[in-house]
Amino acid sequence: MSQQLQGADLTPVIGLEVHVQLETDTKIFCGCPTGPADEPNTNVCPVCLGLPGALPVVNEGAVEAAVKVGKAIDADVPDETAFHRKNYFYPDLPKGFQITQYDAPICQDGTLTFAVEGEERTVGIRRAHLEEDPGSLKHVREGSGSLESRTTSIDRADYTLIDYNRAGTPLMEVVTEPDFRSPGAVRAFLEKLEEVLEYLGVFDAGRDGSLRIDANLSLVPEDEVRADGSIDEAVLAEANRTEVKNISSHRGAETALRFEQSRQEDLVRSGRAVQQETRHFNETHGNTVAMRSKEAEKDYRYFPEADLPPLQVSHWKEELAIPELPEARRERFREAYGLDAESASKLTSTKQVADFFEDLAAEFDADLAATWVADDLLGELNYRDMAITDVEDRLGEFRRLVELVATDEITAKNAREVVLRTMLDEGEDPDAVVEREGLGKTGADEVAAAVAAAIEENPGAVEDYRGGDEGAINFLVGQVMQATGGSADPGDVNRKLREALDGE
């Protein structure tokens, strides 16, 4: 294959193994909590530490979450599934094996459709199976200072510490077909997958290490790619691939794969072979480094987990319902509320955003609710590198702010530029900001007086307006707004000025 590649136009072939931490209160095979702990190695017990004689018991919540994922990706969920032992030695795997699924995964043959560069793509999901998470490693440099300040990448560390709090957290490993032809498509897929998981309520993106990606990449001649994007299995079998392990973000996956694609292309052009190996992604430098030769399936010595009988899941398939997924909700928002595609996309970016918008739209004008959530609230949150989850306990205050605008108690401009920003920056509630800043709407008499004064005091602008200069009216509006401390409605001021000037 290396001789065939040299001199040819090359296409990357990428497949993913996405490890998703499922959102459950306890671990997959024991009753230890999955939430954060104050100290390392405290959320542990004989089962998740793999002590002799400890027996696993399957967490029902993890199984339910897996079935929901299967339904969301239109996968085949069999009536019966089973667990296996995957044997390998690694410091954060206390038993010396991982309880996972091998030839009887809980989900098989699914698909996920997503958009990349304005086009829809569909990727096959070969399997999605349940397993336990290992512990976590912290690579540390020698020296003074706190442990956190000395934490570093594996290639710069002097020693490694192990925390078993994460060991046994339920994982779902989503294995795709090698259907990706660019790193950008990988990033778009991961964003869509995370969106679906969040809507299902089985995943918390805010949890550290909640989504980790192993990405396999190889190069094939471009002329081997069929018109539908598929590639002959024999061609794929000949291509040497590398696996980049433990990538922790969408952006990281794209960066790692762009580097790896470039690295392999350079090897091919110089006449050297691509080694089939496992590589580590260094986020600091944006490159990958060799870790070890790539394991083959036989190296893991899979065999059935003797302490867990086959699991019947047929009743879960029949009884479990999944919520409205992002695409369906997006389309419904466009039809029900008359939203454009961009607004509908913003308002369904997370389930919490969509729920908040619908609550507001049921009480206030839908266009007002859409503007305030999609443009104002999300815009200000994004500017501060925040998400709606960061203010979820204050959504009642933001509803009150929309009410103040809807009932004409304050202007939209002051609500957006003063009240909302003060709420986010200083943590005040909207009524307190309005009272302190004196932002209550100016009365009609005061506005009329300010309009008359602006006309009297600015004869040049009045003459310019009557001479056809539309920009002059904006100057006069500004004078009225300044006189009223910004508490008048700009649209109302504009209308009153025109009525006064055109009627004279």
Side-chain angles (χ1 to χ4, degrees), residues 477-488:
V477 169
Q479 297 302 300
V480 176
M481 295 302 295
Q482 184 176 352
T484 59
S487 60

Side-chain angles (χ1 to χ4, degrees), residues 304-371:
E305 170 54 65
D307 294 328
L308 291 171
L311 181 65
Q312 302 296 322
V313 295
S314 54
H315 66 286
W316 273 297
K317 286 199 306 179
E318 296 168 4
E319 296 170 6
L320 278 178
I322 62 173
E324 186 180 36
L325 294 176
E327 281 304 324
R329 200 166 195 184
R330 211 159 281 148
E331 187 59 32
R332 180 169 64 80
F333 277 17
R334 292 183 67 176
E335 293 179 2
Y337 302 109
L339 301 174
D340 58 44
E342 183 180 2
S343 296
S345 180
K346 287 180 180 178
L347 291 169
T348 54
S349 57
T350 71
K351 187 174 183 297
Q352 193 166 23
V353 168
D355 288 345
F356 184 49
F357 163 70
E358 288 221 87
D359 288 344
L360 291 178
E363 189 172 356
F364 308 109
D365 177 75
D367 288 339
L368 177 68
T371 297

Side-chain angles (χ1 to χ4, degrees), residues 441-503:
K441 237 182 183 182
T442 304
D445 292 343
E446 188 178 345
V447 172
V451 165
I455 292 172
E456 182 179 349
E457 294 168 7
N458 299 280
V462 170
E463 185 177 346
D464 290 343
Y465 169 75
R466 288 177 173 158
D469 182 2
E470 278 293 313
I473 198 74
N474 296 328
F475 171 78
L476 294 170
V477 169
Q479 297 302 300
V480 176
M481 295 302 295
Q482 184 176 352
T484 59
S487 60
D489 183 276
D492 185 45
V493 170
N494 189 300
R495 181 179 57 79
K496 289 183 183 301
L497 278 166
R498 290 180 186 276
E499 288 175 353
L501 292 170
D502 296 338

Side-chain angles (χ1 to χ4, degrees), residues 392-409:
E392 60 187 345
D393 58 337
R394 302 183 63 199
L395 292 181
E397 295 178 21
F398 294 112
R399 179 218 156 272
R400 171 59 179 158
L401 178 57
V402 175
E403 181 182 30
L404 290 171
V405 177
T407 56
D408 283 333
E409 295 179 54

Side-chain angles (χ1 to χ4, degrees), residues 372 398 401 404 410-411 413-425 428-431 433-434 437 439:
W372 270 93
F398 294 112
L401 178 57
L404 290 171
I410 59 173
T411 66
K413 183 176 186 294
N414 279 339
R416 179 178 60 254
E417 297 180 3
V418 181
V419 182
L420 178 59
R421 292 172 184 175
T422 304
M423 288 172 66
L424 291 173
D425 293 337
E428 288 190 75
D429 70 78
D431 290 300
V433 178
V434 169
E437 300 293 334
L439 299 177

